[in-house]
Amino acid sequence: MGAEMPEVVFDLSGKKVFVAGHNGMVGSAIVRRLADIDCELITVARDTVDLRRQSEVEEWFGSEKPNAVFLAAARVGGILANDTCPADFLYENLMIEANIIHAAFRAGTSKLLFLGSSCIYPKHAPQPIAEEALLTGPLEPTNEWYAVAKIAGIKLCQAYRKQHGCDFISAMPTNLYGPGDNYDLNSSHVVPALIRKAHEAKLSNARSMTIWGTGEPRREFLHVDDCADALVFLTENYSDANHVNVGSGKDLPIRDLARLVADIVGFAGTIEHDLGRPDGTPRKLMSGGRLAAMGWQPQISLEEGLARTYQDFLARAGEA
Ligand code: GFB
């Protein structure tokens, strides 16, 4: 990136840095990335501070006073979990982000990065989706609850910047995958679901594995370690009210993703479809122009990232 790197606007070195959601896939990737930086990392266990409880969050921020916050704590899940638990996704995410953003303001936190999702954009947004597409049309119904909560998070950061001058920024990652993902088939995203399905089909010598929907929707995927790198980059180099897309710039149909995962796992059977399951949004390829113009780009190809993720799956299952 060298010569194109913007001037550092916030140096994480020497700072007290709170990663909210450090046990999650994204939070743990941020923790791994911060190990390269000479900062003081702080985290808090869920049974010590429930981030949905305002008084607990404010008390903890009041005593810890972090200089910087990565807001990666969230209730997350795949298309089915989003569709079946709308109250959980809306309520928990609103509470977590409102509590942390307000507490960070009160504690004098200098920099906060809020993590959203590409599902904030309208279902039929022009592709690739530029940041300006926000709030220009109706949302995808399967995840509108989560999307509304994440849009509220962007607006909270903008509001605290506008009213109080807080340097709070927002990043919108595309569909993420990588180590530490959730492999529960009812609540997971598509990549861990496909890894597990292909692995189990291989072990049982099945003739086929079944994926949800038509396989026609297209998705853009980014390895979570690339995402964490982008989030640290933005925290140090970006300060503006506008949110920033974080993606790989490439998408593919779910059908092709399923074949790719099956090949990486070593399952040679056919792929069947459960058409009783939802497809969700037809396509959500984001424009990465804003981040690319700052000099950041991803390093991990989908093939390499999926192979690494399968190794992590095997290691966690004790099969590596
Ligand atoms: O990853 P996924 O659950 O989330 O599903 P979304 C992506 C696509 O993969 C959908 C298909 O078209 C699914 O129908 N798919 C095929 C599968 N087989 C499977 C399977 O076995 N499991 C799963 N989960 N999907 C979520 C949103 O949307 O993505 C959230 O609900 C969030 O709000 C997140 O934005 C990143 O990309 O459809």
Side-chain angles (χ1 to χ4, degrees):
M1 286 180 268
E4 293 183 12
M5 284 278 283
E7 258 179 54
V8 170
V9 295
F10 183 85
D11 189 355
L12 283 164
S13 302
K15 301 291 193 322
K16 191 170 185 179
V17 183
F18 173 43
V19 177
H22 69 287
N23 285 323
M25 182 175 73
V26 179
S28 53
I30 296 170
V31 167
R32 285 195 295 279
R33 177 64 183 79
L34 289 176
D36 298 336
I37 296 176
D38 184 21
C39 61
E40 182 192 346
L41 173 70
I42 54 170
T43 58
V44 66
R46 191 175 299 209
D47 53 7
T48 305
V49 175
D50 183 337
L51 297 174
R52 296 167 301 185
R53 304 267 173 261
Q54 184 185 37
S55 56
E56 293 183 28
V57 175
E58 290 197 355
E59 192 180 334
W60 188 80
F61 264 79
S63 62
E64 292 293 335
K65 296 198 182 339
N67 306 119
V69 173
F70 287 87
L71 208 178
R75 170 72 180 249
V76 298
I79 190 167
L80 184 65
N82 268 267
D83 202 24
T84 50
C85 303
D88 294 350
F89 278 81
L90 183 54
Y91 171 75
E92 293 189 25
N93 288 309
L94 284 173
M95 297 305 286
I96 291 168
E97 68 205 24
N99 289 341
I100 291 179
I101 290 168
H102 185 66
F105 156 63
R106 288 188 47 161
T109 296
S110 305
K111 187 95 188 196
L112 178 145
L113 180 136
F114 169 70
L115 209 67
S117 162
S118 59
C119 70
I120 58 161
Y121 292 115
K123 175 169 185 161
H124 297 295
Q127 312 278 321
I129 311 172
E131 285 85 352
E132 291 75 16
L134 182 65
L135 293 172
T136 57
L139 298 164
E140 153 63 29
T142 53
N143 58 35
E144 65 179 310
W145 323 95
Y146 181 73
V148 164
K150 290 297 182 182
I151 292 169
I154 296 173
K155 292 296 168 191
L156 277 168
C157 290
Q158 291 175 348
Y160 280 80
R161 175 179 290 271
K162 184 173 175 185
Q163 186 177 341
H164 300 295
C166 299
D167 189 359
F168 293 175
I169 61 173
S170 300
M172 297 305 117
T174 188
N175 286 42
L176 301 172
Y177 70 96
D181 212 336
N182 166 22
Y183 288 91
D184 176 272
L185 292 179
N186 286 320
S187 58
S188 74
H189 289 99
V190 63
V191 168
L194 294 178
I195 288 176
R196 180 170 171 180
K197 286 177 176 180
H199 179 71
E200 290 178 354
K202 179 177 79 168
L203 291 191
S204 65
N205 290 315
R207 291 172 54 183
S208 65
M209 63 181 260
T210 302
I211 67 169
W212 294 353
T214 61
E216 283 169 21
R218 299 178 71 95
R219 292 290 184 272
E220 174 188 5
F221 295 98
L222 183 71
H223 191 280
V224 72
D225 286 344
D226 268 338
C227 179
D229 189 60
L231 300 178
V232 167
F233 177 84
L234 284 169
T235 299
E236 293 200 311
N237 298 294
Y238 185 76
S239 176
D240 194 88
N242 292 314
H243 63 281
V244 181
N245 290 343
V246 179
S248 61
K250 294 179 197 149
D251 69 351
L252 78 172
I254 294 298
R255 180 182 287 120
D256 294 359
L257 175 75
R259 192 66 263 165
L260 182 59
V261 170
D263 289 347
I264 286 168
V265 168
F267 172 64
T270 59
I271 292 171
E272 307 288 335
H273 297 265
D274 178 353
L275 298 177
R277 299 292 191 179
D279 268 347
T281 205
R283 194 180 186 196
K284 48 178 174 177
L285 175 65
M286 298 196 302
S287 160
R290 193 173 282 177
L291 184 53
M294 287 181 247
W296 186 88
Q297 54 189 21
Q299 302 295 325
I300 306 169
S301 70
L302 182 59
E303 291 75 9
E304 181 194 344
L306 289 173
R308 280 163 52 174
T309 304
Y310 182 47
Q311 290 310 311
D312 178 74
F313 168 85
L314 292 175
R316 285 170 200 257
E319 295 178 30

